[in-house]
């Protein structure tokens, strides 16, 4: 494991230093107040130590201006920490548009990773440096949490939905992956390694991997094997809507609600189709819960994302 | 009539005698002693589990306990320490004993309900111990679903039932305190003459009666999902696992304030008494307790920043979390200012206050790290969190409890303990605590996740430090039990007011008589009127 200091984690992603600066700021403020109060307490204890048992202190009841001062200053500092923390959090929550997708499935007690090109790994994640990587994650059983301390990123992996996180690695090396949400017997064994590589090394690694069809190819095969294609037809004569261009669009439901078709919408529509039915269609689609694994789901979604709209999109010049 | 009256004029400890007179007592002071004995036993049990955790973590390999046993050990450490020690610690012992006396009442409003609350606690504790002996429970004290409801094959249902039952003991205590404070204050004891310990108990009681029913129903739903496969939390049968986290933390975050607010109340009493000076900013200290209790109900989502909760909900929870830091800061500054130009005695309660101040400062300030969302992403579920909440709940809560125990021990038992032993124990606990938990901040920022049975070797150094500190801490706690019990047997008799403190409890004999006051007290002065305080009835060392 590459490590610089024996008491500080390696800093190997673009956001790591943002997080560290915030940490040092709060550490500085905290240290100031901890030292201030401790010194005052000790100085008072020594200076005003009681001489005779019956001695009494000065007749002081309080001071409004002091109260306002020590209410106001902590409040302002706390708000600065809030805004700064929120800013870092928003950076961590919004993956760049050009992110490379990788799919992760957590199960007791391993991490299964699939690259878009089809290469799979277990408890390992190879990524190129200097390129944003977006992980789309699902769980097959209980809640897990994908944590890479060197990148300062962490996200729960929750059964029943898909969650995402992203990072851009900046330094080649090997770093820990930990499961950070307690998940049973071998929780502390649900660990792995991220290998951040120079882009050319990553390409070489991908080429040498045992690809079993890309995620999109696997998704396409599933789309046909599971007979999705019999209803979701491209010529809009099917019993279900054509899925081309659906991803990322706003869909109107039969109760009039409008929802954005993101990964979680697609996931829910496969596992629990009755919960959100598109306007103009009957709630006749069966559930695929128990028939498709979390990995299959991620492949299906990858495939649906690639489908093109049936008629040309009205707005041109969109790439 | 005269016979009965004379019984009530005797020390509450003396008359009547016999085990039955204790087990059927309606005297709030005796019930406080029953609670004190019970929570001490559970502290020892929970501490034994802690010792097993620290022993396992000396080496990176999971070589002492099996993974399953380790998971059960940290779960039981948490469940027992939180539900059976920390939550009842100050309210049910010091609160039970002092609250009626401090307001000039003979007892709580509902003495039978008070006794009932102790029996409910004992039943809940017995049910939980049954889970321990019936294979244990391995979900963590947080019982996160769907692991707890669908995956774990340990005695989750029994343990959840134990927690459910015990919740009612807490609700009854809170309810009893609130009614007592509204209805039974002595003539002249206005709200703004109440000791700050009483204000803190009032705020705590509000949290107890408003929050506890939610956690009770939540653990019951977990049990129902396990037993009946109702789809509440498990997505495979139509539930939502994150819903559990909202419900659980709606109580369990305010529960932290159940543990720390009473300790803050204790410190307010002790700082004034040991400085023999009016508390600085009485109303700010009083209202900051209420502010913490109320704002504390609106911050639960800061436990869910990485749970897939909406990021906008996260923003709201983060800003309110930052606000709750302010009343805690206000209290700390007021305590410090109280010492300014005080007449500070260096007796053992003072040492416990210093310990509290040091540890609570670190605990409170590290809460800011976790409230800042971008930083919490990295820190949550690591040892940084473990260190933070131990600094608050053990550093703050237990130091406050022990400080209060050392301050009121002469009143409660009529005996003085050894002063030197009290000071040495306070320092041992302070340094042992820091040695145990400070390294956990560092190893947490390095990325060591909590609840890990085995860990990468680069974290070993800090874990060894932590385990070594735990030995010191264990010696400190054991020492207290020994010299306090010794004081009961051989300790000198305590005077009525050994510290020269104000407050109704110091105007009556040590130990108090069964009815607390021979005649109804009439209060004519504000709290902490140290300008007219009597001299201590024992020399300052």
């Amino acid at each position: 494991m590459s490590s610089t200091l024996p008491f500080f984690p390696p800093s190997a992603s673009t956001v790591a230093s943002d997080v560290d600066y915030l940490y040092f700021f709060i550490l500085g403020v905290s240290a100031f107040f901890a030292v201030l109060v401790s010194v005052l307490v000790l100085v008072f204890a020594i200076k005003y130590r009681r001489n005779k048992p019956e001695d009494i202190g000065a007749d002081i009841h309080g001071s409004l201006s002091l109260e306002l001062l020590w209410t106001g200053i902590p409040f302002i500092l706390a708000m600065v920490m809030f805004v700064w923390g929120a800013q870092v959090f928003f950076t961590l929550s919004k993956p760049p548009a050009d992110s490379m997708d990788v799919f992760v499935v957590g199960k007791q007690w391993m991490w299964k990773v699939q690259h878009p090109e089809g290469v799979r790994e277990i408890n390992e994640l190879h990524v190129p440096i200097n390129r944003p990587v977006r992980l789309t994650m699902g769980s097959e059983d209980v809640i897990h949490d994908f944590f890479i301390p060197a990148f300062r990123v962490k996200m729960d992996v929750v059964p029943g939905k898909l969650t995402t996180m992203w990072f851009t690695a900046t330094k080649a090396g090997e770093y820990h992956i930990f499961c950070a949400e307690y998940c049973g017997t071998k929780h502390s064994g649900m660990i792995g390694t991220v290998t951040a590589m120079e882009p050319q090394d990553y390409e070489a690694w991908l080429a040498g991997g045992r690809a079993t069809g890309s995620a999109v190819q696997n998704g396409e095969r599933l789309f046909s094997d599971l007979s999705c294609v019999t209803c979701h037809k491209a010529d809009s004569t099917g019993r279900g809507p054509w899925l081309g261009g659906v991803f990322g669009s706003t869909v109107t439901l039969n109760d009039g609600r409008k929802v954005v078709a993101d990964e979680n919408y697609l996931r829910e529509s496969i596992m629990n189709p009755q919960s959100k039915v598109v306007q103009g269609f009957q709630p006749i689609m069966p559930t695929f819960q128990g028939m498709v694994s979390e990995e299959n789901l991620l492949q299906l979604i990858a495939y649906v994302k690639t489908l093109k709209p049936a008629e040309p999109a009205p707005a041109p010049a969109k790439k | 009539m005269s016979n009965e009256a004379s019984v009530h004029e005797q020390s509450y400890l003396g008359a009547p005698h016999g085990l039955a007179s204790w087990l059927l007592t309606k005297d709030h002071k005796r019930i406080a002693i029953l609670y004190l004995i019970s929570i001490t036993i559970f502290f020892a049990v929970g501490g034994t589990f802690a010792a097993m955790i620290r022993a396992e973590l000396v080496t990176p390999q999971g070589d002492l306990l099996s993974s399953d046993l380790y998971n059960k050990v940290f779960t039981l450490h948490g469940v027992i320490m939180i539900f059976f020690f920390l939550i009842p610690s100050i309210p049910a012992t010091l609160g039970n004993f002092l609250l009626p006396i401090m307001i000039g009442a003979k007892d709580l409003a509902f003495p039978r309900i008070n006794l009932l609350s102790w029996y409910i606690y004992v039943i809940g504790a017995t049910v939980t111990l049954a889970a321990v002996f019936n294979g244990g429970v391995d979900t963590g004290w947080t019982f996160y679903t769907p692991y707890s409801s669908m995956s774990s094959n340990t005695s989750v249902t029994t343990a959840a039932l134990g927690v459910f039952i015990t919740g009612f003991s807490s609700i009854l205590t809170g309810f009893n305190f609130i009614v007592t404070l509204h209805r039974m204050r002595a003539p002249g004891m206005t709200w703004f003459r109440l000791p700050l310990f009483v204000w803190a108990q009032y705020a705590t009681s509000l949290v107890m009666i408003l929050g506890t029913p939610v956690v009770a129903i939540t653990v019951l739903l977990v049990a129902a999902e396990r037993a009946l496969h109702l789809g509440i939390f498990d997505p495979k049968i139509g539930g939502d696992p994150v819903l559990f986290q909202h419900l659980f933390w709606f109580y369990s975050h305010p529960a932290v304030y159940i543990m720390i607010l009473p300790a803050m109340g204790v410190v307010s009493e002790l700082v004034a008494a040991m400085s023999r000076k009016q508390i600085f900013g009485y109303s700010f200290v009083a209202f900051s307790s209420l502010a913490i209790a109320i704002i504390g109900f609106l911050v639960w989502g800061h436990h869910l920043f990485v749970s897939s909760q909406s990021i906008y909900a996260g923003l709201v929870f983060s800003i309110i979390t930052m606000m709750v830091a302010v009343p805690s800061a206000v209290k700390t500054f007021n305590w410090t200012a109280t010492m300014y130009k005080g007449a500070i005695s260096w007796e053992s309660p003072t040492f416990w206050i210093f310990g509290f101040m040091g540890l609570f400062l670190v605990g409170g300030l590290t809460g800011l790290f976790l409230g800042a969302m971008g930083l919490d992403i990295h820190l949550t579920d690591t040892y940084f969190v473990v260190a933070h909440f131990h600094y608050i709940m053990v550093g703050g809560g237990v130091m406050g409890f022990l400080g209060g125990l050392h301050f009121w021990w002469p009143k409660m038992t009529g005996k003085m303990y050894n002063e030197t032993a009290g000071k040495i124990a306070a320092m041992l606990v302070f340094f042992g605590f820091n040695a145990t938990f400070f390294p956990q901040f560092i190893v947490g920022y390095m990325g060591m996740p909590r609840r890990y049975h085995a860990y990468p070797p680069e974290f070993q150094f800090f874990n060894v430090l932590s385990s070594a500190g735990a030995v010191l801490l264990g010696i400190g706690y054991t020492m207290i039990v020994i010299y306090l019990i010794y004081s009961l047997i051989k300790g000198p008799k305590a005077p009525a007011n050994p510290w020269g403190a104000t407050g109704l409890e110091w105007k009556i004999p040590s130990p108090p008589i069964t009815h607390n006051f021979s005649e109804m007290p009439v209060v004519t002065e504000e709290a902490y009127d140290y300008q007219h305080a009597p001299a201590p009835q024992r020399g300052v060392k």
Side-chain angles (χ1 to χ4, degrees), chain A residues 6-9 19-20 22-23 26-27 30 33-34 37-38 40-41 44-46 48-50 53-64 66-67 70-71 74-75 78-79 81-82 85-86 88-90 92-94 108 140-143 145 147 149 152 154-156 158-161 163 176 178-188 191 289, chain B residues 67-68 71 74 138-139 144-147 151 235-236 241 245 273-281 284 306-308 311 315 318-319 322-323 326 330 333-334 336-337 339-346 354 357 361 365 368-369 372-375 377-382 442 445-447 449-454 456 458-459 462 526 530-531 535-536 540:
Chain A
F7 52 85
F8 204 76
V19 174
D20 289 346
L22 177 60
Y23 176 65
I26 303 181
L27 195 62
S30 299
F33 281 101
V37 173
S38 305
L40 284 177
V41 165
F44 291 166
I46 293 165
Y48 303 116
R49 185 172 178 178
R50 202 186 300 172
E54 66 276 17
D55 282 355
I56 53 170
D59 190 11
I60 302 172
H61 284 231
S63 152
L64 183 62
L66 271 180
E67 298 289 349
W70 62 48
T71 306
F75 181 78
M79 287 306 110
M81 291 173 193
F82 160 71
V88 174
F89 181 76
F90 269 79
L92 287 164
S93 309
K94 303 274 186 220
Q108 289 169 323
E140 284 189 10
D141 35 52
V142 299
I143 302 177
D145 185 294
F147 176 30
R152 313 286 189 273
K154 179 189 285 144
M155 185 68 200
D156 278 5
V158 184
K161 62 165 82 166
T163 56
H176 288 298
F178 293 128
C179 175
E181 186 64 66
Y182 174 69
C183 59
T185 308
K186 293 282 174 207
H187 169 54
S188 63
I191 57 177
Q289 190 153 333
Chain B
S67 291
D68 279 324
N71 295 343
F74 75 67
D138 74 339
T139 59
Y144 267 26
T145 57
Y147 182 73
S151 178
K236 287 207 172 66
Q245 296 175 30
M274 302 320 284
S275 309
R276 285 181 45 94
K277 183 164 167 278
Q278 166 68 250
I279 192 94
F280 195 92
F284 287 90
V306 299
S307 71
S308 75
I311 57 177
L315 272 182
S318 174
I319 194 169
M322 286 302 184
M323 285 178 192
V326 175
V330 167
F333 288 122
N334 277 295
T336 310
M339 293 174 66
Y340 172 71
K341 290 195 174 176
I344 299 159
S345 148
W346 285 28
F354 290 170
M357 297 269 276
L361 262 175
L365 289 166
L368 296 169
F369 292 70
M373 304 169 86
L375 191 48
I377 302 294
H378 177 59
L379 292 174
T380 189
D381 286 320
T382 69
I442 299 166
Y445 199 80
M446 288 170 76
R450 62 192 288 202
R451 296 170 170 175
Y452 261 35
H453 174 223
E458 67 259 34
F459 300 145
F462 296 99
E526 58 179 1
Y530 277 97
Q531 295 305 309
V540 175

Side-chain angles (χ1 to χ4, degrees), chain B residues 178-190:
Chain B
I178 288 176
V179 176
T180 306
L181 283 178
H182 276 275
R183 305 293 303 165
M184 299 184 59
R185 283 171 287 122
M189 180 54 90
T190 61

